[in-house]
Amino acid sequence: KPEELKGHEYYFTFNTLASLTEQLKEGLKVVPIEINAKTIQISFKHHTPKLCKDITMAVSKAFIDFDVESQRKSSENILKFINSQLDSLSQELKISKDSLMVFQKKSDLPDPENVTTNITEQISELQDVLFEKENELSSLRIAHELLSSNPNSVDVYKLLPEMLGRGYESSLIQRIEELHELLDRKENLLYKVTETNGQVILLKKKIASKINVIQKSISVIENRLLMNIYALRDKISKLQAKLFSLPEKRMEYNRLKNIQDLNEKYFVLLTEKKVLYAISNAGYASSNRILEKAKIPDTPIEPDKKLVYGGFIFFGFLLGLGIMTLKYLTFNEINLLEDLETVLPEKASILGAVPLFRYKMEYSKLVVAEAPKSSLAEAMRKIRTNLSYIHPDYKTIAISSSISGEGKTFVALNLAGIIAMSGKKTILLDLDLRKPKVHLGIGVDNTVGMSSLIVGQTTIEDCVQSTQLENFDFITAGPVPPNPSELLLSQRFKNIVEDLKKIYDVVIIDNPPIGLVSDGVRILTESDIPIYIFKSHYSRRSFAARIKELFDVQKLTSLNVILNGVKMTKSGYGYGYGYGYGYGNYGGNGYLDDNNVFEEEEKKNKWYRKLLRFIFKKGDE
């Protein structure tokens, strides 16, 4: 409405022809349809259908008009040039005819072309023969120079094409071939023997003799060619003198006749061209035709929904296939117990698997104390049972892994807790003196511990701390020492372990990762049950090489493996391990207690699965 426009400022821009052309040029497309038929297609893409049609037709018409105008201008320029040339040439032609007529009347000279032509032809023929003889002489001199410079078989072989087609071919070719054969035999023999060998000396003499014979033949042929050349030059000189001795009138006649013929030739040629271009310019029509006029489409041609969707599906499939292929080629993880069985040495035994604990926590926790009926606790009970089969009277258990983050401390805490729950008095020692974590998981301070105990600053009674579980005590790592390796290898540490074995039924040692440091290797070898931890979807297959090294280099007699962080399914783990004792699913969602906090966390993590099922269900409807 006009009243709504009041009080507002409006701006507009005048587009120049260049800027407007640059904007519209992006939508214009000219492509050849059939090269042999010389047909092209002109198309234009824009939001306005009528503009597309107008521009397409305008470009087609402009193309045809440009072709006609270009041909017309070209014809006019050519006609102007021909007319200017004809004007000057007609004067030259008239002068040349008059000069020839005046000369013939004054000299009374008939046509002297036959005499001159015969002499010229003879001179030309003799010059051809002379050129051929000189070429043959040049070839002989090249051969003479080459044979005089101690040639090899390759140089002599190159002479053969030079001799072909010559008048002396039959007399030299055979000798040169024989010389090439002798040189080739000598060079092949030198690969096996030295220059002082008798056969080499004999071949050299034959080669020298053969070269001498060829040189003599070349000299004889060269002398004969020189005599022929001298004779030919003499004949040519005589004919040229005879030609130059013709009367000056005949030479002048030939000169004037040539000028007249040349002028007549160019005059006739330009006259014919003038007529042709005049006719062409008068009736020229472009050979280009518009086979089909532009039409306004009923529906937009872009974007093509089917093509877009199909392209996205196709490239999505390719991308997914590529990612799958890349993951397959670069796969280096241990995910299942079956993966462990394929990479572990035969001496290593598998104790079992620990299910993935989905509840978020910053540090390893004593889960079996908070949820004694969870599937995690049940898995630890199965591992505890398998330990009794390995060593019924075990007193010490050493737990280690390849690198940090594989759940070594988590397994140690919960395995110690589940053993304590069976009635055995258990103590856990944190020997990861560089990066201690046991005190963080239980929530106590780390002012005193194994480091201060080994150096004698405190006593066992001062370091031992209790957990919420009965029969489960622990000793933290203590302050980080500057020499953890020396402390763990000291006799004082061994004495501490022996004293603890008298007090407790089971001593569990949380070793440092032996894939990074070798502090805990000796502890593993001296413990009753050494345990090595792998983590599903985290540990690499190459970590199994460390276990093989423990058997081969460290002379470890036995080693037991636990796979931590295995993802559960509705049907349970589905794995058999250890000594034939597997475990399944105790509960609807993988945990024994339907009301515990871990099942609730599992349900929260599966919200995306419910969403996917809802989407696919709606799509089917």
Side-chain angles (χ1 to χ4, degrees), residues 93-109:
L93 181 59
K94 184 178 182 300
I95 294 172
S96 63
K97 286 182 178 180
D98 293 342
S99 299
L100 185 59
M101 289 175 63
V102 170
F103 176 76
Q104 283 181 323
K105 288 179 181 180
K106 286 183 178 181
S107 60
D108 193 18
L109 181 69

Side-chain angles (χ1 to χ4, degrees), residues 21-274:
T21 303
E22 193 67 26
Q23 294 175 13
L24 298 176
K25 186 173 64 175
E26 297 180 357
L28 184 64
K29 187 176 183 182
V30 181
V31 294
I33 298 177
E34 180 59 46
I35 301 297
N36 296 328
K38 297 181 180 180
T39 57
I40 62 174
Q41 182 185 54
I42 302 174
S43 60
F44 185 78
K45 295 180 181 178
H46 197 267
H47 301 294
T48 307
K50 192 173 186 307
L51 177 64
C52 296
K53 177 184 176 182
D54 293 342
I55 289 182
T56 304
M57 294 302 298
V59 171
S60 303
K61 185 177 182 301
F63 180 77
I64 295 174
D65 294 343
F66 175 78
D67 181 46
V68 173
E69 184 65 19
S70 298
Q71 291 294 335
R72 186 183 63 79
K73 288 184 178 181
S74 176
S75 298
E76 289 178 356
N77 292 333
I78 293 174
L79 284 173
K80 288 180 182 179
F81 173 76
I82 291 175
N83 288 329
S84 63
Q85 293 296 316
L86 283 175
D87 291 340
S88 60
L89 194 58
S90 61
Q91 297 295 328
E92 294 290 336
L93 181 59
K94 184 178 182 300
I95 294 172
S96 63
K97 286 182 178 180
D98 293 342
S99 299
L100 185 59
M101 289 175 63
V102 170
F103 176 76
Q104 283 181 323
K105 288 179 181 180
K106 286 183 178 181
S107 60
D108 193 18
L109 181 69
D111 185 9
E113 289 296 330
N114 292 333
V115 177
T116 306
T117 301
N118 291 335
I119 296 174
T120 305
E121 289 178 354
Q122 291 179 23
I123 292 174
S124 178
E125 291 176 358
L126 289 174
Q127 285 178 341
D128 291 341
V129 175
L130 176 62
F131 176 76
E132 182 178 353
K133 296 299 181 182
E134 289 177 344
N135 194 14
E136 292 179 358
L137 180 62
S138 176
S139 299
L140 283 175
R141 287 176 178 172
I142 291 173
H144 180 74
E145 292 178 1
L146 181 63
L147 294 174
S148 300
S149 60
N150 192 18
N152 54 33
S153 60
V154 177
D155 295 334
V156 173
Y157 183 79
K158 292 180 180 178
L159 285 177
L160 294 175
E162 189 70 26
M163 300 293 110
L164 295 176
R166 306 300 185 187
Y168 45 78
E169 175 184 348
S170 58
S171 60
L172 284 181
I173 287 292
Q174 184 177 359
R175 291 190 180 95
I176 292 175
E177 288 179 347
E178 293 173 355
L179 176 61
H180 174 263
E181 182 180 359
L182 290 173
L183 288 170
D184 190 61
R185 286 170 54 192
K186 186 192 79 171
E187 292 172 359
N188 290 335
L189 188 60
L190 285 175
Y191 285 111
K192 302 178 182 178
V193 299
T194 61
E195 294 279 352
T196 59
N197 186 269
Q199 293 183 6
V200 176
I201 296 173
L202 180 60
L203 284 174
K204 286 182 177 180
K205 291 181 179 180
K206 289 183 180 181
I207 290 169
S209 176
K210 183 63 68 176
I211 291 175
N212 189 27
V213 172
I214 295 174
Q215 293 281 35
K216 290 180 179 180
S217 299
I218 289 175
S219 298
V220 172
I221 297 172
E222 186 177 354
N223 292 332
R224 186 174 70 246
L225 285 174
L226 285 172
M227 294 176 63
N228 292 337
I229 290 171
Y230 293 148
L232 287 170
R233 288 175 179 174
D234 185 60
K235 288 181 181 181
I236 291 172
S237 299
K238 291 178 179 180
L239 287 172
Q240 287 177 344
K242 184 178 178 180
L243 180 64
F244 292 140
S245 65
L246 288 174
E248 294 181 359
K249 294 180 181 180
R250 291 183 179 180
M251 294 178 65
E252 182 66 17
Y253 174 84
N254 289 335
R255 186 182 69 82
L256 295 173
K257 183 65 176 175
N258 288 335
I259 293 174
Q260 178 187 339
D261 292 342
L262 185 61
N263 289 333
E264 287 180 348
K265 178 181 178 181
Y266 280 113
F267 187 82
V268 172
L269 178 63
L270 289 175
T271 303
E272 291 176 353
K273 291 292 184 182
K274 178 181 179 181

